[in-house]
Amino acid sequence: MRSDKQYLGVERSLQRAWAKGAGLIDEEFERPMIAVVNTYQEFSPENIHLRQVGEAVKAGIRMAGGTPCEFNTFHVTDSETFASVGMRYVLPSRDLVADMIELMVEGHRFDAMVLIGSGDKVVPGMVMAAARLDLPAIMIYGGPTRAGIYRNRKVFLETVYDGVGEHLLGKLSQKDLKGLEDNHFPFAGACDTATSGNTAGIYTEALGLALPNSGTLPAGSNFQLRAAKYTGMRIMELVREDVRPSQILTPESFENAMRVGLAVGGSTNMVLHMIAMAKEAGVEVDFDTWDRLSRDTPTLVKLAPSGPWGVTDLGDAGGVPAVMKALGNLIYPGTATVSGKTAGELVRDAEIQNSDCIRGRRDPVEPDGSIYILKGSLAPGGAVVKASGVARDMWDAVLPARVFEDEEGAIEAVRGNRILAGTCIVIRNEGTKGGPGMREMLGATSALMGAGLGNSCALVTDGRFSGATHGPAIGYVTPEAARGGPIALVEDGDPIRIDLADRRLDLDVAPDVLSERRSRYTPPPARVTRGYLKHYSETVAPASDGAVMPR
């Protein structure tokens, strides 16, 4: 054990004395020391219950003969920062989570890790740390909560945010907006929709890093607490068997996870994070990988906001193993998982409990995956759209551009009734470098929905979108404006051509006109001139490379 050299022997007396000051006893030093990394915090619903989940994990570790050592990392909560400067700090937190775990686990020479996470930056950050350290590791996702109900209507994240726009336009009363707000969360947990966090819980299980069915368990339920105990017990078996993430995070397991994410209509953010996680694991994943898999992976589940099913409904229907079963021979059966069973063995034992929720390949929701990679003269490096959320009459459109230099400007224009139907709103300088931090544009898409423009206007940005986004929202435009991409040259009125069937995004402006514009183009001044975001903007990779920091 690595921890032996940290705590055992006469020469380590001071180290033991220090730990005994926290209540440890001699017998605990003689057992494997297991880091329990938690994201508990008391001001966000995804995290408020994780102290109890952590206690269950630690009980499982002790039952199986280990010594749990819990510490916290952090979660910059997306939904509390939308349409604000705070959102610039959300994506950068992912790599800091990975770094913090590395520092704590390596600094204290723990023997293994249990990672308890909620939030779509925290979970991939934890996977990145697991791949980087390559110590025995297992994860448990914080989980969704069932949708709230107000006036016999399910209340999701997007319901509340769209309601803001409806209220500002006089379509929803203050009383009913507050009713949506007050009834959003009946319990702790993530909103019961295909948010980026819930998508992370699903793909982490599909990767093989979490116990089967744990990625869709309701937050704080007895089912989750029992799974947490088994997770703690299982890490001790992984230590004894010396099972490492490098044996699990293979090219095949990444393809399995990507196909599952596509099949359930997961958030576009998984594109960014899968690339980053794969880099840490030494696996090649890029926009072209996503494009290839999307073309022959059917959409089998229509999760909210694009469909009627919540993530808890997916769990009731059989969860991730059932989705993998429905995907059939598109799943690599030989990949290893932390359960000790292969993906094929988990699929063999799985049952599809609700065929209306999880459709078969012969009767899919859509014949291809939910996420499309678009390329063209406006996005030569690629762009990402959740095609399952786009109305068919917007799949092939040429729209005049209305350009904004930030999200706030676009929101103000929409709420001021200054956007006409049939417009392509272009929001630039919101990428990894230019933002900096690549904010999610849920504020803009929700303003459009609230104004009744969600299916007649497109939104194109070098920023990104929340998993709760619906409508023709195209993000990740690469290269971004701050890196000299064509999106920097778009002017009001320029024709933007969207062709989802052909997977293209084009700027219909003559090359000589664009050359002239480039010759007089002056980049805007940096928004941040000090602190971590300044360092981030100067060193972060483009979205197409996973927005990773240099190592």
Side-chain angles (χ1 to χ4, degrees):
M1 294 291 103
R2 293 168 14 130
S3 60
D4 289 354
K5 296 180 180 179
Q6 193 86 346
Y7 292 107
L8 296 184
V10 173
E11 68 279 6
R12 312 307 288 177
S13 181
L14 176 60
Q15 286 78 6
R16 289 193 299 276
W18 210 261
K20 285 178 179 179
L24 273 70
I25 60 176
D26 288 324
E27 287 78 2
E28 288 180 293
F29 301 122
E30 296 171 359
R31 299 177 175 187
M33 308 283 280
I34 311 300
V36 177
V37 188
N38 203 332
T39 52
Y40 165 78
Q41 59 194 38
E42 59 184 19
F43 53 88
S44 58
E46 306 101 308
N47 308 91
I48 190 67
H49 63 296
L50 293 185
R51 179 174 286 172
Q52 188 178 20
V53 174
E55 291 299 326
V57 166
K58 290 186 288 185
I61 292 171
R62 292 189 182 102
M63 284 189 289
T67 298
C69 302
E70 185 177 14
F71 66 87
N72 258 51
T73 182
F74 54 85
H75 173 206
V76 184
T77 310
D78 310 45
S79 298
E80 295 176 14
T81 65
F82 284 130
S84 77
V85 171
M87 176 55 78
R88 293 191 180 123
Y89 291 85
V90 174
L91 179 58
S93 73
R94 182 197 66 191
D95 293 64
L96 282 177
V97 165
D99 293 346
M100 178 180 176
I101 294 170
E102 176 190 358
L103 291 171
M104 287 293 289
V105 171
E106 289 296 270
H108 290 274
R109 305 301 289 171
F110 293 122
D111 299 305
M113 301 180 289
V114 178
L115 304 164
I116 307 169
S118 282
D120 90 295
K121 310 306 174 298
V122 172
V123 174
M126 287 178 162
V127 176
M128 292 165 69
R132 184 185 303 174
L133 299 179
D134 202 27
L135 295 170
I138 190 170
M139 299 189 67
I140 183 165
Y141 174 56
T145 186
R146 297 195 185 277
I149 302 291
Y150 179 68
R151 295 193 185 276
N152 297 314
R153 175 189 182 190
K154 284 187 175 182
V155 183
F156 297 111
L157 183 155
E158 61 275 8
T159 314
V160 181
Y161 221 148
D162 293 355
V164 174
E166 293 170 8
H167 171 67
L168 292 174
L169 293 170
K171 299 178 180 179
L172 185 73
S173 70
Q174 176 72 45
K175 178 182 178 181
D176 283 340
L177 178 60
K178 188 174 188 301
L180 294 175
E181 176 184 325
D182 290 347
N183 290 279
H184 184 189
F185 285 96
F187 306 103
C191 176
D192 197 20
T193 185
T195 59
S196 304
N198 285 333
T199 300
I202 289 167
Y203 68 60
T204 300
E205 182 184 331
L207 273 171
L209 281 179
L211 293 180
N213 295 110
S214 64
T216 53
L217 291 175
S221 64
N222 61 338
F223 305 105
Q224 186 183 57
L225 295 179
R226 296 204 299 263
K229 288 183 180 178
Y230 283 122
T231 296
M233 294 171 70
R234 182 60 189 157
I235 190 62
M236 298 309 301
E237 295 174 352
L238 296 175
V239 170
R240 287 189 284 270
E241 297 163 8
D242 196 29
V243 176
R244 309 282 179 131
S246 56
Q247 298 164 253
I248 294 171
L249 297 176
T250 63
E252 293 78 13
S253 71
F254 274 98
E255 289 209 6
N256 285 351
M258 293 164 73
R259 287 196 188 275
V260 168
L262 290 165
V264 302
S267 166
T268 56
N269 278 316
M270 67 178 169
V271 174
L272 186 79
H273 299 318
M274 203 66 69
I275 294 171
M277 293 184 298
K279 283 182 181 294
E280 290 284 1
V283 173
E284 180 63 32
V285 172
D286 56 21
F287 276 4
D288 290 339
T289 313
W290 278 103
D291 184 56
R292 172 175 61 84
L293 296 179
S294 174
R295 290 175 184 269
D296 66 1
T297 303
T299 301
L300 302 179
V301 184
K302 197 79 165 175
L303 290 177
S306 299
W309 302 104
V311 177
T312 54
D313 295 324
L314 174 61
D316 293 341
V320 170
V323 174
M324 296 174 81
K325 191 180 193 77
L327 286 169
N329 63 5
L330 294 177
I331 294 296
Y332 288 101
T335 58
T337 75
V338 291
S339 71
K341 295 182 177 181
T342 64
E345 290 170 325
L346 295 178
V347 165
R348 183 194 61 203
D349 297 338
E351 291 184 35
I352 298 173
Q353 304 283 349
N354 183 345
S355 58
D356 291 328
C357 178
I358 303 175
R359 306 268 282 271
R361 286 175 65 185
R362 293 183 180 179
D363 182 33
V365 176
E366 298 289 347
D368 48 13
S370 58
I371 291 176
Y372 284 17
I373 303 299
L374 311 180
K375 291 193 176 180
S377 59
L378 184 56
V384 181
V385 64
K386 193 172 184 176
S388 60
V390 182
R392 283 287 170 174
D393 58 1
M394 288 293 286
W395 275 50
D396 188 359
V398 179
L399 308 174
R402 181 75 184 279
V403 183
F404 298 91
E405 303 301 330
D406 55 33
E407 184 189 19
E408 287 85 352
I411 293 172
E412 183 181 348
V414 173
R415 292 179 177 168
N417 293 315
R418 298 196 301 275
I419 299 295
L420 300 176
T423 298
C424 181
I425 295 174
V426 176
I427 304 177
R428 61 192 177 199
N429 297 308
E430 291 284 7
T432 57
K433 178 180 177 66
M438 204 179 189
R439 293 192 294 176
E440 292 180 350
M441 303 285 110
L442 183 63
T445 56
S446 292
L448 283 172
M449 287 293 174
L453 298 171
N455 290 318
S456 62
C457 288
L459 199 160
V460 173
T461 180
D462 52 9
R464 58 194 177 93
F465 292 107
S466 160
T469 298
H470 43 152
I474 301 170
Y476 295 74
V477 170
T478 308
E480 63 176 288
R483 299 180 195 269
I487 192 172
L489 308 178
V490 181
E491 295 184 358
D492 286 348
D494 285 349
I496 306 293
R497 182 177 296 275
I498 299 168
D499 185 348
L500 296 194
D502 207 25
R503 306 196 182 208
R504 290 197 62 83
L505 179 65
D506 290 297
L507 173 61
D508 281 355
V509 175
D512 60 324
V513 174
L514 292 179
S515 294
E516 189 277 329
R517 290 181 187 176
R518 189 174 294 280
S519 68
R520 56 182 170 83
Y521 174 73
T522 302
R527 290 191 172 112
V528 179
T529 58
R530 60 184 296 177
Y532 182 73
L533 283 188
K534 178 178 185 293
H535 167 68
Y536 184 85
S537 68
E538 293 171 346
T539 55
V540 67
S544 54
D545 289 333
V548 294
M549 295 292 284
R551 284 187 54 210

